[in-house]
Amino acid sequence: MLIGQEITILGAGLAGLSLAQALAMRGASVRILEQAPAIAEVGAGIQISPNAGCVLDAMGLGEAFEKVSVTSSGAALRDYARGTEVLRLDLTRFGRFGLVHRADLVEILLDSVRELGVEIELGTRVEEVSLDGGQPVLNIRDLGAREVPFVVAADGLRSCVRRALLGPETPLFTGHVAWRAMLPIEPGEVPNEAHVFMGPGRHLVAYPLRGGTVLNLVGVHERGEWTEDGWNHPGDPDQFRELFSEFGDPVRGWLKRIEDVIVWGLFKHAVAPRWHGKNAVLMGDAAHPTLPFLAQGACMAMEDAWVLADCLDSSESRDAALARYEALRAPRCKRIVDAGTANARNYHLSSAPVRGIAHMGLRMIGRTMPGFMPDRFKWLYSHDVTA
């Protein structure tokens, strides 16, 4: 039982807030430590597929989510030069896909956890965690050491809890750099689906948000190195346009209109070989950072949140709960991470003959067996951790 148990979560992103919601619903006493001085509108669009939508429903937040998200009909894979459709993936058979600004979903979760009594300490940077004693000890900048009964790492790729569990690691630069921009549009100007424009060594994804009034653009290209840390660096719109100058309309027209852009390098670790220790556990990107090419980063974190809370609430001991949580989540998350990595290769075919043959094959499959490609993802989108 979780009633009255004290749990500290590091990070007030989607992972940490989802877990706080799932734990507080079950009666836990939850505190979130967040290093940022405020929870501001950061990030951009994300896609919430049915496997994560069912978690929001189980948390009682499905109706609120529907109000702030755009219902997607699926995905359209397109040729970069002409914008012509290569393959359409009708994903509606699996349930609702919601296109939402990350900040809008964070706001829903934030309002809910506060109503449930979750305490949030902003401007609290945990620099190191010690797991050597009976309880975790958090070394907080300017505040010193704090002992807590149980800590959950929802603090991302460079998690200090992961470092305490597994030792020092250096995240691997994947050779991909991402550019993000938001563009005002008229409702109905861009169909409500994810549009993926595939080109040599790069691709661009576009989909509408906020009632179809904003277009979310994310372009990814291959690059030999990246040295800057973080994921929120101001970029040069002209450089974004130059990198994707071989893309035809509608991408070319969209890029002409952008005024601000964010750029960041994509890094990753392997899926953690061990997810938990004494009174400490990993979730989200701290356990399984993934590339964004399957749109499952946030979705995996929300699945983690539900499963972890359920295991802690229903297992005979905390050790048994954490072992069960890892056993349930690790194989699925590794499969998702591997599928996202494969998508990166498929989107970026550099050889024109190979790309032409591959696209011809996809068009033929789409015409003769329209359900074949969507059904390859049934294992992903039909999975319901709340069942």
Side-chain angles (χ1 to χ4, degrees), residues 354-377:
V354 171
R355 188 171 59 253
I357 293 170
H359 288 189
M360 184 185 304
L362 288 175
R363 288 190 177 96
M364 185 175 299
I365 290 172
R367 286 195 298 267
T368 59
M369 298 181 290
F372 176 77
M373 293 299 288
D375 283 345
R376 294 179 66 225
F377 295 98

Side-chain angles (χ1 to χ4, degrees), residues 10 84 119 187 339 382:
L10 305 188
T84 52
E119 296 185 40
S382 293

Side-chain angles (χ1 to χ4, degrees), residues 71-217:
T71 299
S72 170
S73 61
L77 307 185
R78 300 183 178 278
D79 174 75
Y80 78 104
R82 298 182 298 278
T84 52
E85 187 176 298
V86 175
L87 178 69
R88 177 168 297 276
L89 299 173
D90 179 3
L91 302 175
T92 56
R93 68 187 70 196
F94 303 117
R96 185 178 188 269
F97 284 73
L99 309 175
V100 66
H101 195 296
R102 181 183 294 270
D104 295 339
L105 183 51
V106 164
E107 184 177 2
I108 289 171
L109 286 162
L110 191 60
D111 289 345
S112 184
V113 300
R114 282 175 168 158
E115 287 182 8
L116 290 170
V118 172
E119 296 185 40
I120 302 176
E121 293 186 27
L122 298 173
T124 307
R125 185 181 184 91
V126 178
E127 297 184 318
E128 189 175 7
V129 175
S130 173
L131 303 176
D132 297 333
Q135 293 188 334
V137 177
L138 315 180
N139 185 4
I140 303 172
R141 178 184 290 181
D142 299 328
L143 296 176
R146 181 189 300 181
E147 189 174 79
V148 298
F150 182 51
V151 65
V152 182
D155 51 347
L157 175 72
R158 301 178 188 274
S159 166
C160 54
V161 179
R162 176 169 174 141
R163 186 167 63 247
L165 277 174
L166 303 178
E169 298 174 294
T170 301
L172 173 69
F173 176 52
T174 63
H176 296 91
V177 172
W179 298 73
R180 182 183 71 232
M182 307 282 281
L183 183 70
I185 56 174
E186 294 296 324
E189 181 180 336
V190 178
N192 292 344
E193 59 189 1
H195 305 266
V196 183
F197 298 84
M198 304 175 293
R202 64 207 65 208
H203 78 281
L204 185 139
V205 180
Y207 51 83
L209 304 170
R210 292 180 168 168
T213 63
V214 175
L215 185 65
N216 184 70
L217 295 172

Side-chain angles (χ1 to χ4, degrees), residues 211-333:
T213 63
V214 175
L215 185 65
N216 184 70
L217 295 172
V218 178
V220 178
H221 74 100
E222 296 174 4
R223 175 169 157 175
E225 61 180 13
W226 180 268
T227 57
E228 294 181 88
D229 198 5
W231 56 274
N232 217 26
H233 305 286
D236 181 354
D238 286 334
Q239 187 178 2
F240 188 13
R241 283 186 274 267
E242 175 62 26
L243 286 166
F244 290 83
S245 60
E246 295 182 2
F247 283 52
D249 286 327
V251 172
R252 182 175 297 164
W254 294 334
L255 294 182
K256 286 180 180 177
R257 295 160 54 190
I258 63 170
E259 297 180 358
D260 299 293
V261 64
I262 297 298
V263 60
W264 73 104
L266 300 181
F267 287 78
K268 65 179 294 187
H269 292 298
V271 174
R274 183 162 64 100
W275 288 32
H276 63 92
K278 183 69 173 179
N279 294 316
V281 66
L282 309 177
M283 69 171 298
D285 282 350
H288 45 74
T290 185
L291 297 176
F293 305 141
L294 201 57
Q296 285 296 302
C299 296
M300 281 196 288
M302 294 167 71
E303 287 186 356
D304 286 352
W306 187 268
V307 174
L308 178 55
D310 185 64
C311 289
L312 289 169
D313 195 39
S314 61
S315 300
E316 294 183 358
S317 69
R318 182 169 290 167
D319 287 345
L322 300 184
R324 179 171 167 235
Y325 159 70
E326 180 176 340
L328 288 170
R329 295 300 298 153
R332 174 168 169 81
C333 290

